[in-house]
Amino acid sequence: QQKVQQSPESLIVPEGGMASLNCTFSDRNSQYFWWYRQHSGEGPKALMSIFSNGDKKEGRFTAHLNKASLHVSLHIKDSQPSDSALYFCAVSTNTGKLTFGDGTVLTVKP
Amino acid sequence: EAAVTQSPRNKVAVTGGKVTLSCNQTNNHNNMYWYRQDTGHGLRLIHYSYGAGSTEKGDIPDGYKASRPSQENFSLILELATPSQTSVYFCASGDLGGSQNTLYFGAGTRLSVL
């Protein structure tokens, strides 16, 4: 059974700073990787996906994937208070089933 | 953006009672999912469905049943609710498999079993 672990559990960064979130997975057949963000009182929303090794940049957000190391990360540049949320890593093979990590709580201090 | 609507938004139930959580999606997605969210456990998959008439067990199906009577509707049923099922439940829908695996979540149902 796929295991997805995220670190750190919580993270505090100053406004304008860089936030780095990490995720490891256990199934080497994993193919698709997502980051979801959940603001308080809402359902999770897909933030970005990455399917190939290397970096993928979307605005202030950069995802990095290394399948050989079973590792995916998310880096948020110029963090804003509105980025404060619970961030989930989600991993899928080719079955249509996503497995989520336990999440990282990001707090951006003004 | 895909619309996923859950009802009720809040529910208080008694131990041993029957609870039905409902979910409706309007984007004609094949797959639908039920997750529960607890502090320290993230999102855990209870049941999912590939289409009308199908239900599959997820990672934590014990104590739950699911029903998919149509493409749009997916219900989660707790026949005999227990306090350990107190949680926030999320329904999600998404396209079938592969790279089209973006899930669209509802706003959640907060269930308290007393």
Side-chain angles (χ1 to χ4, degrees):
Chain A
Q1 183 174 338
Q2 173 87 268
K3 291 196 185 320
V4 178
Q5 295 186 299
Q6 292 185 240
S7 64
E9 289 186 12
S10 62
L11 179 63
I12 300 174
V13 299
E15 183 174 357
M18 171 76 82
S20 294
L21 289 66
N22 296 293
C23 174
T24 59
F25 52 96
S26 62
D27 188 342
R28 289 193 176 275
N29 293 317
S30 299
Q31 298 183 34
Y32 308 108
F33 306 86
W34 298 87
W35 286 96
Y36 282 75
R37 181 166 73 178
Q38 183 182 25
H39 287 108
S40 182
E42 300 178 3
K45 291 182 181 176
L47 186 61
M48 65 185 299
S49 62
I50 184 166
F51 305 141
S52 302
N53 282 329
D55 291 338
K56 180 180 180 182
K57 184 177 179 182
E58 292 186 359
R60 296 185 294 110
F61 299 86
T62 299
H64 176 78
L65 175 62
N66 184 329
K67 290 184 184 180
S69 299
L70 304 174
H71 182 260
V72 60
S73 60
L74 178 69
H75 306 275
I76 306 173
K77 188 175 70 170
D78 188 24
S79 297
Q80 301 298 308
S82 58
D83 294 328
S84 295
L86 177 59
Y87 288 78
F88 290 108
C89 170
V91 181
S92 173
T93 53
N94 202 27
T95 62
K97 175 184 163 186
L98 282 181
T99 300
F100 286 79
D102 289 345
T104 293
V105 177
L106 172 64
T107 303
V108 180
K109 293 284 193 183
Chain B
E1 185 169 303
V4 179
T5 305
Q6 294 183 233
S7 63
R9 290 297 314 279
N10 294 280
K11 174 75 176 177
V12 178
V14 296
T15 298
K18 182 177 180 178
V19 177
T20 300
L21 306 183
S22 299
C23 179
N24 176 275
Q25 57 105 354
T26 58
N27 263 40
N28 201 32
H29 287 150
N30 290 316
N31 294 2
M32 295 186 75
Y33 306 80
W34 278 105
Y35 288 88
R36 64 177 282 177
Q37 184 175 25
D38 304 288
T39 303
H41 288 284
L43 291 162
R44 292 184 290 174
L45 182 63
I46 306 170
H47 285 288
Y48 59 106
S49 169
Y50 290 124
S54 96
T55 61
E56 306 289 337
K57 292 182 179 179
D59 299 323
I60 54 164
D62 294 345
Y64 302 94
K65 289 173 52 178
S67 174
R68 183 89 182 268
S70 65
Q71 184 79 342
E72 298 79 18
N73 295 295
F74 191 37
S75 298
L76 185 68
I77 303 152
L78 290 65
E79 294 278 5
L80 294 170
T82 69
S84 64
Q85 294 174 313
T86 293
S87 187
V88 181
Y89 291 85
F90 287 98
C91 175
S93 72
D95 296 325
L96 178 64
S99 63
Q100 305 301 317
N101 245 354
T102 301
L103 295 189
Y104 296 88
F105 284 84
T109 294
R110 185 173 295 276
L111 174 65
S112 296
V113 182
L114 305 178

